[in-house]
Amino acid sequence: MKNDRMFPTITLLIALGLCAAGAAGQGPDLLENGDFHTDTTGWTTDTGYAGSMTWASADASGSPHSGSAKLTAPNGEVLVLGDDCLSVEAGEQYVLSGSVWVDEASPDARIRFGFADFEAPDCDGMAGGFGLAFALFAVAEHETGRWQELAAGLYELDETRWIRPALWIQSGGSDVTAYFDRLHLGRGRCTPGPTTLCLNGGRFEVKVSWST
């Protein structure tokens, strides 16, 4: 009698983020309300820009019990800053990650999740702008109309810095609407190895199909 054996065919689909980093953040999330479950508490729109922020029921995980932050830049820019002033310590590694949905926009539009850099512990007086780290969605390089992953890293700073999380849209000459969700700032290290895969804030999916 023929012994038919079923062998699994396994496909790994790995989403590594649009701007991958070299270390995956571990430990608790350092951001306040990065999931926007019911509102945008903890985030404030900079009044120096024409854009706006509102809460939206669209959720990156498809949950009917959560939502996202909807940013609109009417032919200009919008900047939203987290209310918390965070310390990033010398010698530590960090990674930021999140999900973004961008509606139709001009090819030169830029959508960023990153940090404003300050020179004092109370985040008074911006020092380095947005140069510490940012995850960039460039419309010319990536699809619109669906949720996509963002990731970027901060590495081995030689001095302690103070930051506020920032969401920033440069519209590129057209109205832009973008939704941000699942924003995360983690601290820790990840060393790749034979049994360790560092996703850099990304995600992976395992699909199994059986054949005989």
Side-chain angles (χ1 to χ4, degrees):
M1 184 178 75
K2 181 179 180 180
N3 183 17
D4 290 336
R5 302 178 63 184
M6 299 180 68
F7 297 93
T9 301
I10 301 176
T11 303
L12 296 180
L13 302 178
I14 303 174
L16 290 179
L18 301 178
C19 201
Q26 310 295 320
D29 192 349
L30 303 179
L31 297 183
E32 177 187 358
N33 193 25
D35 289 314
F36 306 105
H37 287 310
T38 59
D39 53 37
T40 58
T41 297
W43 300 81
T44 302
T45 305
D46 190 311
T47 57
Y49 297 84
S52 62
M53 173 185 62
T54 57
W55 182 84
S57 59
D59 181 74
S61 300
S63 171
H65 307 294
S66 186
S68 57
K70 176 183 178 181
L71 273 64
T72 302
N75 193 19
E77 295 184 57
V78 59
L79 173 64
V80 173
L81 292 174
D83 295 340
D84 287 343
C85 182
L86 305 174
S87 170
V88 288
E89 301 174 5
E92 290 286 350
Q93 293 184 354
Y94 299 83
V95 67
L96 63 151
S97 61
S99 300
V100 61
W101 175 299
V102 181
D103 286 342
E104 291 296 326
S106 61
D108 54 345
R110 298 290 185 270
I111 294 89
R112 294 177 170 90
F113 163 42
F115 297 98
D117 181 19
F118 295 85
E119 58 189 10
D122 57 359
C123 286
D124 182 26
M126 190 176 294
F130 300 91
L132 274 180
F134 63 84
L136 170 67
F137 181 98
V139 174
E141 301 171 7
H142 304 290
E143 297 179 34
T144 58
R146 68 181 183 91
W147 287 107
Q148 300 193 56
E149 302 303 311
L150 296 172
L154 289 167
Y155 305 113
E156 298 287 348
L157 299 177
D158 56 5
E159 61 180 357
T160 297
R161 307 289 284 274
W162 294 273
I163 60 175
R164 290 175 64 186
L167 308 176
W168 186 20
I169 295 178
Q170 294 173 296
S171 71
S174 65
D175 294 350
V176 177
T177 299
Y179 301 80
F180 291 88
D181 197 11
R182 299 192 301 203
L183 304 181
H184 175 81
L185 171 64
R187 176 171 56 193
R189 301 171 184 270
C190 177
T191 303
T195 61
T196 302
L197 175 65
C198 296
L199 295 178
N200 309 314
R203 295 170 171 81
F204 72 93
E205 179 181 8
V206 178
K207 291 186 176 182
V208 179
S209 59
W210 296 91
S211 60
T212 59

